[in-house]
Amino acid sequence: MAEIIAKRRLAPQITLYEISAARIAQNARPGQFVILRLSEQGERIPLTIADFDRERGVITIVVQEVGKTTMELARYEPGDHILDLLGPCGTGIEIKQYGRVACVCGGLGAAPIYPKAKALRAAGNEIITFIGAQTAERFVFSEELAAVSSEMHYATDDGSYGHHGFVTDVLRKYLESGRTVDKAIAVGPVPMMKAVCEITKQFDIPTTVSLNAIMVDGTGMCGGCRVTVVGEIKFSCIDGPSFDGHQVDFDELTMRQRFYRQQEQESMQRHVCRLGGIE
Ligand code: FAD
Ligand code: FES
Ligand code: MG
């Protein structure tokens, strides 16, 4: 059991939780994640460790309500306990001195990219952040990222802040202007990461992406999270979730992410009915 010690709404349907988890905080590295389960009958879902404080024994997760389990979690308050919290899972990313690093994130991806940007900055890299959101009010972790970045470039789908359009347009313009980066990392929706990789490939910039494949056990046993990288099968939960973006089969990932859509919708429908007292 792990206690929620703080909760803060960051944007509509996006909430930050601080959770007391000393052993996970002690061992966490940027890019790793936890798997949580809320009840005996509940499913297990992966969530990135967006920050960790070893002294306080606390980890931070940022969660977007997209379906049954994330909506259920949104009802938890400080003082409530999460039944199972497993982690840190995954390999994390390699932190070394590259030079200038472009951190490209979309939507909720800004929270998971933050610990990577922070660690890369601490390792002596210059961080240039490209951050996109649907509207200005949906930016998350932009202040935290600004604190570790030399430059921030913003984009919104509706033009309410920064460039009117995709964050990848801003990245492309930046690179076409002749400015160089030595490494790129991208976290966000699959189409965004795929678009980032198409651009960075043209400029020959090594790029690491964080794949949000569907996970079940998180231990490399079930095969649910399998992805194809350089034509080889990898398990996101133990071999990733960070991979060389130029080698990932994004189309297969997109197809596999939709695999349980019908069951997910039915499950959410039942959950909403229960909350409304219909069932
Ligand atoms: P559902 O209606 O069940 O699913 C909605 C969509 O979420 C699905 O279509 C599918 O694409 C995805 N999803 C569903 N179940 C899983 C699962 N077991 N594993 C992976 N994806 C699933 N979300 C955040 O809000 N914050 C994070 O920091 C975060 N980090 C992640 C890190 C990793 C390594 C991975 C793989 C996923 C991460 N996600 C994160 C996505 C999160 O796990 C899903 O949004 C969540 O599982 C949805 O559950 P649900 O029951 O609310 O929605
Ligand atoms: Fe089962 Fe990765 S989640 S093998
Ligand atoms: Mg679900």
Side-chain angles (χ1 to χ4, degrees):
M1 296 261 266
E3 185 180 352
I4 295 174
I5 56 170
K7 175 181 179 185
R8 184 157 50 95
R9 188 62 109 182
L10 299 185
Q13 282 94 43
I14 300 181
T15 307
L16 176 152
Y17 303 84
E18 281 189 355
I19 302 171
S20 177
R23 290 228 305 267
I24 298 178
Q26 199 55 44
N27 295 301
R29 293 194 313 277
Q32 290 188 298
F33 61 95
V34 290
I35 292 193
L36 65 76
R37 190 170 64 129
L38 296 175
S39 62
E40 289 286 350
Q41 299 76 30
E43 65 178 345
R44 294 148 63 85
I45 65 163
L47 297 163
T48 307
I49 301 170
D51 208 354
F52 49 89
D53 184 331
R54 295 200 167 114
E55 277 179 19
R56 288 169 62 223
V58 168
I59 63 162
T60 301
I61 55 171
V62 176
V63 186
Q64 181 160 17
E65 291 147 48
V66 293
K68 184 197 172 226
T69 305
T70 48
M71 282 171 63
E72 213 175 330
L73 177 62
R75 293 162 61 87
Y76 280 51
E77 296 297 337
D80 289 342
H81 288 78
I82 290 166
L83 180 65
D84 294 328
L85 190 67
L86 171 77
C89 304
T91 54
I93 64 158
E94 192 179 11
I95 302 295
K96 63 177 192 185
Q97 198 166 2
Y98 295 99
R100 186 180 293 148
V101 180
C103 292
V104 193
C105 49
L108 186 79
I113 214 169
Y114 169 66
K116 302 177 182 181
K118 188 164 81 165
L120 286 164
R121 166 68 176 260
N125 295 284
E126 182 190 2
I127 307 296
I128 313 289
T129 293
F130 298 83
I131 179 169
Q134 282 171 338
T135 70
E137 64 164 0
R138 294 191 74 82
F139 280 120
V140 296
F141 267 57
S142 61
E143 285 172 18
E144 287 85 345
L145 282 166
V148 297
S149 306
S150 312
E151 287 176 35
M152 292 288 288
H153 298 268
Y154 298 87
T156 46
D157 294 351
D158 66 356
S160 52
Y161 196 82
H163 169 75
H164 186 173
F166 294 137
V167 69
T168 42
D169 302 338
V170 190
L171 174 69
R172 182 184 288 284
K173 271 197 197 143
Y174 180 93
L175 295 171
E176 282 175 351
S177 76
R179 300 194 63 186
T180 56
V181 301
D182 304 294
K183 168 82 183 170
I185 58 173
V187 184
V190 173
M192 186 217 92
M193 292 192 288
K194 184 180 175 191
V196 168
C197 290
E198 280 162 5
I199 296 168
T200 55
K201 215 171 189 171
Q202 288 170 27
F203 290 86
D204 214 13
I205 302 163
T207 303
T208 301
V209 293
S210 184
L211 301 187
N212 38 1
I214 289 191
M215 294 185 182
V216 183
D217 64 340
T219 64
M221 303 284 280
C222 71
C225 68
R226 74 173 180 272
V227 289
T228 305
V229 184
V230 216
E232 258 183 57
I233 289 183
K234 299 277 181 194
F235 292 156
S236 269
C237 65
I238 52 168
D239 301 321
S242 297
F243 291 102
D244 175 352
H246 295 164
Q247 307 291 348
V248 168
D249 184 340
F250 285 107
D251 296 334
E252 180 196 55
L253 175 64
T254 306
M255 199 252 305
R256 288 185 59 80
Q257 273 186 325
R258 297 194 193 116
F259 209 70
Y260 299 103
R261 206 64 210 121
Q262 193 186 332
Q263 290 89 334
E264 286 158 2
Q265 278 168 352
E266 287 167 7
S267 168
M268 183 154 88
Q269 214 57 48
R270 280 198 302 275
H271 181 64
V272 170
C273 289
R274 262 199 306 276
L275 290 181
I278 297 168
E279 218 174 69

